[in-house]
Amino acid sequence: MMMLSCVFVTYMGLCLLGVVARDKLNVLYIMADDLRPSLGCYSDPLVKSPNIDQLASKSNVFFNAYAQQALCGPSRTSILTSRRPDTTKLFDNSNFYWRVHSGNYTTLPQYFKSHGYTTMSVGKIFHPGIVSNHSDDYPYSWSVPPYHPPSFHYERRKVCKGRDGKLHENLLCAVNVTEMPLGTLPDIENTEEAIRLLKLMNKSESPFFLAVGFYKPHIPFRIPQEFVKLYPFDKMTLPADPDVPKGLPSVAYNPWTDIREREDVKALNISFPYGPVPKDFQLQIRQYYFSSVSYVDAQVGKLLNALDEHGFAENTIVVFTSDHGWSLGEHGEWAKYSTFDVATRVPLMVYVPGLTSVSQGRGEKTFPYVDVFQEPNNHFISGRVVKSVVELVDLFPTISHLAGLHAPHQCPQPGSHVNLCTEGENRAYTFYRPETYISEERMAFSQCPRPADTPQLNSDQPHFLEVRVLGYSLRCSQYRYTLWVGFQPDRFYANLSDVHAGELYLLDDDPDQDHNLYGLKGYEVPSHSLDKLSGIGAMPQWTDVLRQHITWLHQHRLQRNPAQTF
Ligand SMILES: *[C@@H]1O[C@H](CO)[C@@H](O)[C@H](O)[C@H]1NC(C)=O
Ligand SMILES: *[C@@H]1O[C@H](CO)[C@@H](O)[C@H](O)[C@H]1NC(C)=O
Ligand SMILES: *[C@@H]1O[C@H](CO)[C@@H](O)[C@H](O)[C@H]1NC(C)=O
Ligand SMILES: *[C@@H]1O[C@H](CO)[C@@H](O)[C@H](O)[C@H]1NC(C)=O
Ligand SMILES: *[C@@H]1O[C@H](CO)[C@@H](O)[C@H](O)[C@H]1NC(C)=O
Ligand SMILES: *[C@@H]1O[C@H](CO)[C@@H](O)[C@H](O)[C@H]1NC(C)=O
């Protein structure tokens, strides 16, 4: 009876608040690195991810979640401060610490810490180095010094056995873990440390916010060799669109320089900037990426199993996401660094006990470990799928609200210096209402810096001072629309009247974004619509400009479904 009434009241959003009043919910915040939604629970036909699928079956699964930039440092800083890269002013991994140069913005873990939570970081949560003051923002964000696995030291060393039997610094790096320096791998160490902390928290009075950042499937694919056996080479296929699209403006293309630096890729003498990568090697990159995903899945499974064992499955919110995606050969690219869906779309699922899933019966586990080698198939159906477009800047207010804290207010304007506010939106309502109630069209915004209009050696990751063109991109259910505009770093000025190139994809016909219609006859955006916009204010916000462009195009050129409005 108790449970029944709880389930009923939950849908009115009350049961959760009741729980919080008695006892705050913990948060387990799990991030993967460079993981696109190549997962069973996102309908990937090949990838074996039974543990993440199991989590998905008890979670709200956001099918259209987008990162604000497809690069680790800018994306992680954006997620954790809930501000867009234009506000943190961080476009690269090496420029500065936001607290000193942009604003003393409160972070998601810092907010929980200020509400009495014990906050802990394991592995890669903040981007390491200068962008988080060489301390992962400790002590502001964390109660204890962040943990870094010692074996990460060997990530870029010659530890991968090549075909010649010698050790190399390779992209493809399936290893015998016992033969590795320290006899382990960074994500295995991360899992062990996170489990150790969970054990300690079992005796703690205060609630916890435990952030666990896995390093994979980021390159190099240094992973336990057994995972590669899950993906026989002869079952591997190329993507549907393995070539650089004909209508793609050259500024939009990024030449994936980081994989070219690895010894095994160097030996292939791939021409710069367009390649291509030899077909067999393309298939191997895909094989190793998928293997890395299954390896991360196993770590997630062990972690969730421990959460359960230590008595936290019924009072802990679990978030699983990634900083951005990765192109696995789509558009002839092998990297992030673009505004395509393959680079900006991420997995995002949130488990809220009692809200997204009802309690297990006595003695039954919520998250039993699933051994992918024993049960490789996806037995799990997705829980509550949310199709509405969401952004990673939404995470901060949404998780705060779900845990029972006040969601930070909307920032008074983009770029605001208020320490605690959000440039995202609180999406907690998606947990209380069936999605059919949500009629409004949502949009996600991402950006991408370039040093020039044509591919250069530094096109993937230009230093901030080298940025000359900025890609501003909008994603909604029907369109992806991108403008590449002139940028002056010394003034931090993006000139929206100085359009170098554009991209327009109609996703109903072209979900993979291969047929650029921007500027073609019938799809022009008349310049008067821009002129009118410059009247918005001295500095029109680019998000508003893109929104108005796509609204104009939708109403005058593209509309198939007149009922749909923006
Ligand atoms: C930034 O804010 C924190 C509290 O959130 C405060 O302790 C710190 O002194 C501030 N730093 C600066 C430079 O204002
Ligand atoms: C960054 O770290 C240094 C060295 O630990 C410290 O002295 C400095 O105060 C930190 N910066 C801020 C803004 O906290
Ligand atoms: C891994 O390496 C250890 C130590 O060299 C060896 O005993 C073991 O047989 C190897 N395992 C595999 C599967 O090759
Ligand atoms: C790459 O170039 C080097 C030096 O020019 C040559 O020795 C090697 O055979 C080439 N490799 C391939 C795969 O073409
Ligand atoms: C701590 O963990 C044990 C099992 O290891 C469990 O029985 C107990 O309920 C947990 N305590 C709390 C306070 O959750
Ligand atoms: C912005 O670009 C337009 C078109 O190239 C140019 O006429 C204008 O002077 C630029 N504005 C600034 C402030 O640089």
Side-chain angles (χ1 to χ4, degrees):
M1 187 58 214
M2 200 34 214
M3 203 178 94
L4 262 182
S5 68
C6 189
V7 170
F8 173 72
V9 187
T10 287
Y11 279 94
M12 315 192 77
L14 294 172
C15 183
L16 180 72
L17 297 178
V19 171
V20 169
R22 284 201 312 275
D23 213 359
K24 281 182 183 161
L25 290 176
N26 306 304
V27 178
L28 175 60
Y29 174 86
I30 310 172
M31 277 195 87
D33 199 351
D34 290 13
L35 175 65
R36 63 197 227 159
S38 292
L39 297 167
C41 54
Y42 280 80
S43 313
D44 190 296
L46 209 62
V47 173
K48 299 174 172 68
S49 51
N51 291 287
I52 297 168
D53 299 347
Q54 173 170 255
L55 173 64
S57 71
K58 296 165 195 231
S59 299
N60 255 22
V61 180
F62 293 88
F63 245 63
N64 288 294
Y66 295 89
Q68 276 50 77
Q69 188 177 326
L71 176 62
C72 301
S75 178
R76 286 163 188 262
T77 305
S78 166
I79 296 167
L80 294 161
T81 61
S82 201
R83 323 273 169 140
R84 297 181 190 284
D86 260 14
T87 299
T88 64
K89 297 190 168 55
L90 192 71
F91 296 175
D92 62 31
N93 281 340
S94 59
N95 203 10
F96 53 61
Y97 185 31
W98 80 89
R99 290 191 193 276
V100 175
H101 291 277
S102 310
N104 194 11
Y105 306 138
T106 302
T107 70
L108 170 65
Q110 183 185 4
Y111 187 56
F112 277 80
K113 186 172 173 242
S114 72
H115 283 82
Y117 277 71
T118 302
T119 60
M120 299 164 285
S121 171
V122 171
K124 185 170 170 187
I125 294 296
F126 281 96
H127 191 78
I130 178 70
V131 303
S132 55
N133 202 27
H134 302 284
S135 68
D136 293 346
D137 197 40
Y138 176 78
Y140 302 113
S141 288
W142 311 109
S143 310
V144 290
Y147 171 83
H148 295 279
S151 65
F152 190 71
H153 182 68
Y154 300 96
E155 196 69 355
R156 294 286 306 260
R157 299 297 174 89
K158 290 182 189 282
V159 294
C160 322
K161 215 172 260 174
R163 293 224 167 108
D164 56 5
K166 297 198 182 108
L167 294 178
H168 297 277
E169 193 219 324
N170 281 346
L171 175 69
L172 311 179
C173 190
V175 302
N176 177 341
V177 177
T178 58
E179 288 178 350
M180 283 293 99
L182 306 181
T184 186
L185 289 174
D187 284 336
I188 296 173
E189 290 190 286
N190 280 340
T191 308
E192 287 165 357
E193 173 64 8
I195 292 173
R196 189 184 73 83
L197 292 171
L198 283 174
K199 237 180 251 174
L200 288 179
M201 283 300 111
N202 180 294
K203 295 184 186 69
S204 165
E205 292 285 300
S206 64
F208 66 80
F209 181 105
L210 173 59
V212 184
F214 292 114
Y215 291 95
K216 297 295 120 183
H218 192 295
I219 64 166
F221 304 120
R222 186 164 78 112
I223 54 169
Q225 59 197 9
E226 56 271 24
F227 286 93
V228 182
K229 295 204 186 86
L230 293 168
Y231 301 93
F233 182 75
D234 57 8
K235 295 266 162 42
M236 294 300 109
T237 54
L238 296 183
D241 55 349
D243 302 315
V244 181
K246 285 204 176 64
L248 186 71
S250 59
V251 68
Y253 178 81
N254 65 281
W256 32 278
T257 41
D258 48 6
I259 74 161
R260 295 171 194 264
E261 293 164 12
R262 315 297 157 134
E263 288 181 41
D264 48 355
V265 180
K266 247 188 214 160
L268 299 168
N269 300 340
I270 298 166
S271 76
F272 185 89
Y274 291 108
V277 175
K279 187 181 168 199
D280 273 8
F281 202 83
Q282 293 193 31
L283 295 170
Q284 273 186 298
I285 298 177
R286 290 171 66 86
Q287 177 187 35
Y288 275 66
Y289 184 91
F290 299 147
S291 307
S292 304
V293 175
S294 293
Y295 165 53
V296 170
D297 180 78
Q299 306 314 308
V300 171
K302 285 176 189 157
L303 181 58
L304 291 178
N305 183 61
L307 184 80
D308 217 337
E309 268 183 4
H310 295 298
F312 292 125
E314 297 306 322
N315 62 2
T316 302
I317 292 174
V318 181
V319 182
F320 178 82
T321 190
S322 172
D323 49 1
H324 47 72
W326 213 76
S327 185
L328 279 169
E330 290 88 358
H331 319 113
E333 295 183 317
W334 300 92
K336 43 224 186 191
Y337 319 119
S338 81
T339 59
F340 286 120
D341 275 17
V342 283
T344 52
R345 185 170 170 236
V346 290
L348 172 62
M349 59 194 74
V350 182
Y351 161 81
V352 186
L355 186 59
T356 60
S357 139
V358 293
S359 292
Q360 296 293 307
R362 266 182 156 277
E364 260 183 72
K365 284 181 98 167
T366 309
F367 300 117
Y369 179 70
V370 190
D371 183 348
V372 70
F373 297 101
Q374 302 293 321
E375 284 182 73
N377 296 322
N378 172 20
H379 299 303
F380 303 104
I381 47 152
S382 271
R384 298 146 44 116
V385 169
V386 180
K387 288 271 168 70
S388 183
V389 170
V390 302
E391 303 182 281
L392 289 181
V393 280
D394 299 341
L395 267 180
F396 187 157
T398 306
I399 299 170
S400 304
H401 179 109
L402 291 169
L405 311 183
H406 285 292
H409 292 295
Q410 210 86 45
C411 294
Q413 73 274 336
S416 159
H417 285 282
V418 174
N419 283 359
L420 177 63
C421 66
T422 175
E423 292 180 2
E425 272 183 61
N426 178 358
R427 304 296 184 140
Y429 60 84
T430 59
F431 290 76
Y432 304 116
R433 289 189 248 160
E435 202 175 23
T436 44
Y437 286 11
I438 305 161
S439 55
E440 199 184 335
E441 171 77 22
R442 298 285 176 173
M443 296 177 182
F445 298 93
S446 307
Q447 52 190 89
C448 184
R450 292 277 188 257
D453 291 313
T454 53
Q456 310 290 320
L457 283 170
N458 63 342
S459 283
D460 294 344
Q461 292 193 59
H463 184 275
F464 176 74
L465 292 173
E466 299 167 343
V467 178
R468 294 293 175 272
V469 190
L470 206 50
Y472 280 139
S473 193
L474 173 158
R475 174 65 157 83
C476 58
S477 61
Q478 295 175 68
Y479 313 116
R480 180 170 282 286
Y481 180 64
T482 306
L483 290 180
W484 296 89
V485 305
F487 182 75
Q488 297 169 25
D490 48 342
R491 299 167 56 206
F492 203 87
Y493 177 66
N495 186 346
L496 292 164
S497 312
D498 179 22
V499 177
H500 292 217
E503 293 168 79
L504 170 65
Y505 303 105
L506 271 50
L507 303 175
D508 285 346
D509 302 334
D510 182 19
D512 298 336
Q513 299 145 35
D514 293 302
H515 305 286
N516 181 14
L517 300 176
Y518 179 86
L520 297 186
K521 199 168 159 36
Y523 300 99
E524 306 96 330
V525 189
S527 59
H528 67 75
S529 69
L530 247 180
D531 295 343
K532 237 190 306 167
L533 285 163
S534 43
I536 292 174
M539 275 284 273
Q541 286 305 320
W542 66 270
T543 49
D544 292 335
V545 172
L546 261 62
R547 191 191 300 273
Q548 296 201 23
H549 275 205
I550 205 68
T551 304
W552 192 93
L553 279 165
H554 179 72
Q555 285 167 355
H556 295 86
R557 300 273 194 248
L558 306 172
Q559 196 164 27
R560 287 186 194 168
N561 172 11
Q564 179 132 32
T565 51
F566 289 114

